[in-house]
Amino acid sequence: DYQRPSAAVPATWREATVAAGATWHPSAPPDAFARGEWWRLFGDPELDRLAARIAIDNQNVVAAAANYRQAQAIVREARAARFPTLGVSGSARRTGGRDQAEVNAFQVSFAADWAPDLWGRVGRGVESASASAEASAADLASARLSAQGELAINYFSLREADAEAVLLRRTIEGFERSLQITRNRYVAGIAPRTDVLQAETQLASTRADLSALLADRARFEHAIAVLV
């Protein structure tokens, strides 16, 4: 059997404690580490609802889950080769008739088959299938975490865009009032034409910022729709 060689671990690789309270070693693969429902820390019911749909509707997660179930089935099939197989067969026939008495005959036979795993082929098959199942489990966990993380990023980006849009709309309302006042001052001969042009430029620039922001918001919304 293969023996893993010993290797010195640097002193800086220390056991770390994560927010969930569990511990893990940096030298160990964390692919299947339980992350939990970390998004609930934000206390946002809408985010909770969307994150719950990830495991059901996200196609990457669904595909990874199907691969994991298939890998588990392969492991069960490989383990079954370690045990003997039993077979049962039966038959029934009737003889006689007319002048002869009728006789019913029944026969049941059992068969068993088992071969010792002298060269470790079955054992190695189980190990290989188990490793593939573990890799599929890691892929599933990674696909789910990736989708959930991307969802959270897009969701909060969308919420940020909403908050910024509120500020921009208020700013536009202020610039519109300022432009009207500046035009009145210009008509009255109090303010120069350059003040009007400057106010118009501020208003147009802020409206352009709002349009670009709403376009970004739409992209975040579309990305969330794809994830769920």
Side-chain angles (χ1 to χ4, degrees):
D1 289 348
Y2 171 77
Q3 300 294 329
R4 183 185 299 274
S6 60
V9 179
T12 55
W13 283 22
R14 300 175 181 174
E15 185 178 274
T17 303
V18 297
T23 58
W24 66 285
H25 294 276
S27 57
D31 293 338
F33 188 79
R35 282 86 174 182
E37 296 181 340
W38 52 268
W39 60 87
R40 294 190 180 275
L41 296 174
F42 296 105
D44 191 309
E46 182 64 15
L47 178 60
D48 295 344
R49 185 185 68 83
L50 293 172
R53 291 181 56 186
I54 288 290
I56 301 174
D57 297 328
N58 183 271
Q59 295 304 305
N60 291 335
V61 174
V62 170
N67 291 337
Y68 178 54
R69 289 193 296 270
Q70 182 180 9
Q72 287 181 311
I74 294 175
V75 171
R76 290 192 294 268
E77 181 180 359
R79 286 176 176 168
R82 287 180 168 178
F83 304 102
T85 58
L86 300 176
V88 180
S89 61
S91 62
R93 62 189 179 92
R94 173 178 293 181
T95 59
R98 291 189 178 182
D99 298 334
Q100 297 180 353
E102 294 183 351
V103 178
N104 296 325
F106 302 94
Q107 182 177 5
V108 178
S109 60
F110 298 89
D113 180 36
W114 179 75
D117 188 18
L118 298 178
W119 307 107
R121 179 185 62 82
V122 176
R124 293 296 179 267
V126 173
E127 292 176 1
S128 176
S130 298
S132 297
E134 291 177 2
S136 296
D139 290 342
L140 174 58
S142 297
R144 184 182 294 114
L145 179 63
S146 177
Q148 291 167 346
E150 191 68 22
L151 171 67
I153 292 174
N154 292 326
Y155 179 79
F156 287 114
S157 297
L158 184 146
R159 290 306 187 204
E160 180 183 359
D162 286 340
E164 189 174 350
V166 172
L167 295 177
L168 284 177
R169 289 189 177 97
R170 291 176 181 174
T171 302
I172 289 173
E173 292 175 358
F175 282 161
E176 288 174 342
R177 290 193 298 269
S178 177
L179 175 59
Q180 186 60 47
I181 293 173
T182 304
R183 284 174 176 171
N184 293 338
R185 288 169 57 85
Y186 172 71
V187 172
I190 301 175
R193 176 64 177 169
T194 54
D195 288 356
V196 177
L197 295 177
Q198 183 179 359
E200 290 175 344
T201 300
Q202 287 180 328
L203 177 58
S205 177
T206 307
R207 285 173 174 170
D209 290 341
L210 178 60
S211 297
L213 179 65
L214 294 179
D216 288 340
R217 187 198 185 281
R219 281 190 284 270
F220 293 136
E221 190 173 11
H222 294 327
I224 292 173
V226 171
L227 289 170
V228 299

